[in-house]
C-alpha cells in the first residue's frame, strides 16, 4: 500500500477565503480531481444534512474516486460551538453536530476530522478542564465512529487556532490517555511548520498514530509554492510506513485548478 492523494472541496459559504482547493461545485471538482489523477476528495460541508451522500456516491463512482474524509468545522464556523465550552449545552451541541457528520461520512466510508471543533481553553475553563472535556468527547465520539466502521481523526492546530495541543510530543502523550483506540492523528504540515522544531522528526513521533495528512506548503499555499522540505518529510513518512491520504488543504492559489495541479505534481514528485 502506498500513500494516496486527495483534494479538498468546501461547500461552506461562511468559510470563503479559507484553505480549500475547490469550492461549491461538487460535480466540477470531482471531474477535475479525476482528470488530474487524484485518488480521492475530502469534503467540507456546513452540516451533516448538507453532505450530499447520494450525489457524492454517484460522482465518486463515476470518476473512480474515494471520499478521503469529511470535515466538521461548520459547527464552529457557523454556530460557534466547540467541545471545550464552559456550558454543557454548547458542548452537547458540538458533540451532536460531530456525531451526525461521523454518521454521514461513514455512509461513504469516510472518517470525520475534528479540527476547529476541539476549541480552546479560556475564561472559566482551565487548560486541565478543557483537556478533560476533549478527552471525554474523543472517547465518546471515537467509539461512536468505531461502531460506524470508521476511525475518528483528531487534528492538532497551531497556537493561533487552539491552545490545547499544538505539538506532536504533547499530542501523542494525550492520545495515550484515551480509553478508545479509534482516534488517529491528522498531521497538517502547515500547522506543524509553525509549531515543530523539525517536521520530519515530529512525523516520526506521531508514527503509527497518523491516519491523515494535510499536504500543503509553509505559507498554506499548494505544495511546492512555499519553503517546505518535502524530501525530508517524504523519507519520514516512508520510515513510519504511512499509507493513508495526503490531502491538499491549501489556499486556491493562484486559482483552484492551478492549486490542484501544483499539489498533484508535488505529490507525484515526493510521495507517490
Ligand atoms: Mn488541516
Amino acid at each position: 500500500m502506498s500513500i494516496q492523494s486527495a483534494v479538498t472541496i468546501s461547500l461552506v459559504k461562511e468559510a470563503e477565503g479559507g484553505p480549500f482547493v475547490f469550492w461549491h461545485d461538487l460535480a466540477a471538482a470531482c471531474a477535475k480531481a479525476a482528470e488530474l489523477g487524484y485518488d480521492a476528495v475530502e469534503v467540507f460541508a456546513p452540516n451533516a444534512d448538507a453532505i450530499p451522500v447520494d450525489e457524492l456516491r454517484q460522482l465518486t463512482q463515476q470518476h473512480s474516486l474515494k471520499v478521503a474524509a469529511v470535515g466538521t468545522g461548520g459547527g464552529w464556523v457557523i454556530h460557534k460551538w466547540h467541545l471545550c465550552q464552559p456550558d454543557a449545552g454548547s458542548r452537547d451541541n458540538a458533540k451532536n453536530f460531530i456525531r451526525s457528520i461521523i454518521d454521514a461520512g461513514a455512509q461513504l466510508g469516510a472518517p470525520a476530522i475534528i479540527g476547529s471543533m476541539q476549541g480552546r481553553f479560556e475564561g472559566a475553563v482551565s487548560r486541565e478542564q478543557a483537556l478533560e472535556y476533549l478527552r471525554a468527547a474523543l472517547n465518546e465520539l471515537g467509539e461512536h465512529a468505531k461502531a460506524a466502521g470508521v476511525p475518528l481523526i483528531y487534528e492538532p492546530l497551531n497556537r493561533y487556532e487552539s491552545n490545547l495541543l499544538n505539538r506532536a510530543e504533547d499530542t501523542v502523550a494525550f492520545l495515550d490517555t484515551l480509553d478508545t483506540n479509534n482516534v488517529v492523528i491528522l498531521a497538517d504540515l502547515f500547522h506543524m511548520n509553525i509549531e515543530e522544531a523539525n517536521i520530519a522528526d515530529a512525523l516520526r513521533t506521531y508514527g503509527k498514530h497518523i491516519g491523515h495528512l494535510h499536504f500543503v506548503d509553509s505559507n498554506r499555499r499548494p505544495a511546492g509554492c512555499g519553503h517546505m522540505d518535502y524530501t525530508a518529510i517524504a523519507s519520514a513518512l516512508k520510515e513510519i510506513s504511512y499509507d493513508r491520504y495526503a490531502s491538499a488543504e491549501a489556499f486556491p492559489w493562484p486559482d483552484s485548478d492551478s492549486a490542484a495541479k501544483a499539489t498533484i505534481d508535488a505529490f507525484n514528485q515526493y510521495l507517490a
Side-chain angles (χ1 to χ4, degrees):
M1 205 59 182
S2 52
I3 303 177
Q4 297 142 80
S5 58
V7 60
T8 50
I9 307 171
S10 171
L11 306 175
V12 182
K13 175 127 192 58
E14 291 84 348
E16 278 176 9
F20 303 97
V21 172
F22 290 117
W23 287 86
H24 305 312
D25 188 340
L26 208 54
C30 286
K32 190 70 190 178
E35 179 196 320
L36 290 170
Y38 279 95
D39 297 307
V41 293
E42 176 180 323
V43 179
F44 181 40
N47 56 62
D49 292 339
I51 297 177
V53 172
D54 293 337
E55 186 188 0
L56 260 171
R57 197 178 277 131
Q58 186 268 320
L59 283 169
T60 50
Q61 265 170 21
Q62 178 190 338
H63 293 293
S64 300
L65 293 164
K66 292 200 164 71
V67 182
V70 288
T72 64
W76 167 247
V77 172
I78 298 167
H79 303 286
K80 299 298 170 198
W81 292 330
H82 68 70
L83 294 173
C84 295
Q85 273 159 333
D87 64 300
S90 296
R91 294 197 302 277
D92 282 344
N93 285 336
K95 272 191 283 187
N96 291 334
F97 184 91
I98 293 166
R99 200 179 286 114
S100 63
I101 290 184
I102 290 171
D103 293 340
Q107 294 182 63
L108 299 157
I113 298 169
I114 297 182
S116 58
M117 286 297 275
Q118 70 192 273
R120 63 196 49 75
F121 74 90
E122 60 191 349
V125 179
S126 67
R127 175 180 171 80
E128 199 177 28
Q129 178 67 75
L131 288 175
E132 194 44 54
Y133 289 149
L134 181 64
R135 183 178 294 116
L138 291 180
N139 278 331
E140 188 181 330
L141 296 168
E143 287 302 298
H144 182 83
K146 186 190 270 184
V150 285
L152 177 64
I153 301 175
Y154 168 71
E155 177 175 23
L157 305 174
N158 74 70
R159 66 189 68 182
Y160 306 108
E161 298 184 38
S162 177
N163 53 13
L164 294 175
L165 297 163
N166 305 123
R167 294 181 315 111
E169 207 171 58
D170 297 334
T171 304
V172 168
F174 174 80
L175 213 61
D176 287 340
T177 70
L178 295 183
D179 298 322
T180 180
N181 62 0
N182 197 44
V183 174
V184 297
I185 294 300
L186 195 174
D188 181 313
L189 299 178
F190 166 74
H191 296 304
M192 294 176 79
N193 179 62
I194 294 171
E195 297 296 341
E196 305 289 358
N198 183 304
I199 296 175
D201 284 348
L203 292 168
R204 291 184 191 97
T205 300
Y206 280 137
K208 62 178 176 12
H209 294 296
I210 303 188
H212 200 74
L213 183 79
H214 276 158
F215 185 53
V216 55
D217 221 310
S218 51
N219 47 10
R220 227 172 195 180
R221 284 180 177 178
C225 304
H227 57 75
M228 199 75 81
D229 181 359
Y230 289 110
T231 304
I233 287 165
S235 51
L237 292 172
K238 193 169 182 180
E239 256 175 66
I240 62 171
S241 304
Y242 181 70
D243 64 357
R244 301 291 301 161
Y245 289 103
S247 185
E249 187 194 61
F251 291 123
W253 183 88
D255 56 70
S256 294
D257 287 1
S258 306
K261 175 76 167 76
T263 303
I264 198 71
D265 286 348
F267 178 89
N268 288 330
Q269 183 178 349
Y270 296 104
L271 303 184

